[in-house]
Amino acid sequence: YEHPQVDVSGLLRSDARKVVTGVSFVAAKRAYHFLDHQRREMQEFLESKFPGLEVSVVSSSLDESKFLIRTYSDKSRGDYHFLDYDKKEVAQLAEISPWINNEYMAPMEPISYQSRDGILIHGYLTLPVGIEAKGLPLVVLPHGGPWARDHWGYQPEVQFLANRGYVVLQMNFRGSTGYGRKFWEMSFKKWGKEMQNDITDGIDWLVSKGIVDPKKVGIYGASYGGYAVLAGMAFTPEIYACGV
């Protein structure tokens, strides 16, 4: 199996039945391609029980009749559940962070935009809750690595910034992993150059849509994200009001 856009990221297998049951991959969100009808049916059953959540199998009994299940979303760190698949029964075991109120959390929306040289850049946009998405301040949050990538899910820093009224932009600029060898190799000797342009083009895209005030753009990061802060402040200081 080969996905047309992203790399396969995980192998699913049944130790009890000695078969490969499928693969996982992460485009906007985690998804699966199944090679085994039994594992497909179990995933469909779990996703029907937890609509809108990502559902993964953490571990199982030796005979693979009972499973430990993890669920999560962009608004919650999620829960652990016990699944008795023979009886089709699911029971909650633990809520990971019960003090987090999902109703106050902001949704993380998958987005994509074109770079100035025609590369499709994927990422995530988080907007403050209860505020019109027009002329808002922006915090750009480039990921570290740079040979890594951002994923959909609960991220405390993102929720903190959105709660304070900021738009948060995360992008998987060229060189981010998971999008194939060619996309990864585009980062070679391009730190602070085309990679930085991918970040700038995301800002310009949000400004053109009227979501962001161009005079209120900050950039914040660590690891390669910190390098991107320095490159952005050095080469395009007119874009940023501040960098951390």
Side-chain angles (χ1 to χ4, degrees):
Y1 172 75
E2 183 179 45
H3 191 276
Q5 184 187 72
V6 295
D7 297 329
V8 166
S9 57
L11 183 70
L12 309 180
R13 66 186 186 274
S14 166
D15 291 336
R17 293 185 290 128
K18 301 293 191 292
V19 293
V20 174
T21 59
V23 296
S24 63
F25 55 90
V26 183
K29 300 179 182 179
R30 187 175 306 280
Y32 302 94
H33 176 81
F34 293 105
L35 308 171
D36 174 79
H37 75 276
Q38 187 171 319
R39 181 64 179 84
R40 179 190 296 109
E41 289 173 357
M42 187 175 80
Q43 189 70 27
E44 290 173 350
F45 169 76
L46 289 169
E47 291 179 2
S48 72
K49 290 289 186 181
F50 304 103
L53 303 181
E54 288 207 5
V55 187
S56 60
V57 175
V58 177
S59 64
S60 72
S61 58
L62 290 177
D63 65 356
E64 296 180 355
S65 65
K66 300 173 179 63
F67 298 85
L68 181 64
I69 305 299
R70 168 82 188 273
T71 62
Y72 67 92
S73 75
D74 52 346
K75 297 182 179 182
S76 168
R77 295 189 65 212
D79 308 87
Y80 284 103
H81 302 267
F82 174 77
L83 168 65
D84 186 323
Y85 191 59
D86 292 339
K87 297 180 179 179
K88 297 295 190 294
E89 293 178 352
V90 180
Q92 185 184 45
L93 295 176
E95 188 176 357
I96 296 173
S97 296
W99 53 86
I100 295 174
N101 189 332
N102 295 5
E103 295 179 4
Y104 297 147
M105 300 298 111
M108 176 188 284
E109 298 294 339
I111 53 99
S112 60
Y113 58 89
Q114 290 279 348
S115 70
R116 65 190 66 183
D117 57 349
I119 303 299
L120 187 63
I121 304 297
H122 298 276
Y124 301 94
L125 184 67
T126 304
L127 300 174
V129 175
I131 302 175
E132 183 183 4
K134 184 177 180 180
L136 298 177
L138 168 68
V139 174
V140 182
L141 191 58
H143 65 70
W147 296 338
R149 62 155 291 177
D150 276 317
H151 294 80
W152 184 84
Y154 182 83
Q155 297 186 24
E157 289 174 309
V158 172
Q159 292 296 338
F160 176 83
L161 291 165
N163 181 263
R164 268 59 180 176
Y166 296 102
V167 175
V168 182
L169 174 64
Q170 300 165 274
M171 77 295 294
N172 289 318
F173 39 75
R174 70 192 71 198
S176 299
T177 51
Y179 293 92
R181 185 184 181 98
K182 182 179 178 182
F183 192 80
W184 170 60
E185 289 179 341
M186 287 180 180
S187 68
F188 294 2
K189 299 184 180 181
K190 301 300 182 181
W191 293 28
K193 297 180 180 180
E194 281 88 341
M195 290 171 69
Q196 196 69 31
N197 290 344
D198 293 343
I199 296 173
T200 302
D201 294 344
I203 297 168
D204 291 343
W205 174 69
L206 289 175
V207 170
S208 71
K209 294 173 74 70
I211 296 173
V212 165
D213 181 346
K215 295 181 180 179
K216 295 182 178 180
V217 178
I219 182 168
Y220 159 55
S223 180
Y224 176 79
Y227 182 96
V229 171
L230 296 176
M233 298 294 284
F235 299 130
T236 53
E238 71 281 358
I239 293 176
Y240 298 105
C242 62
V244 180

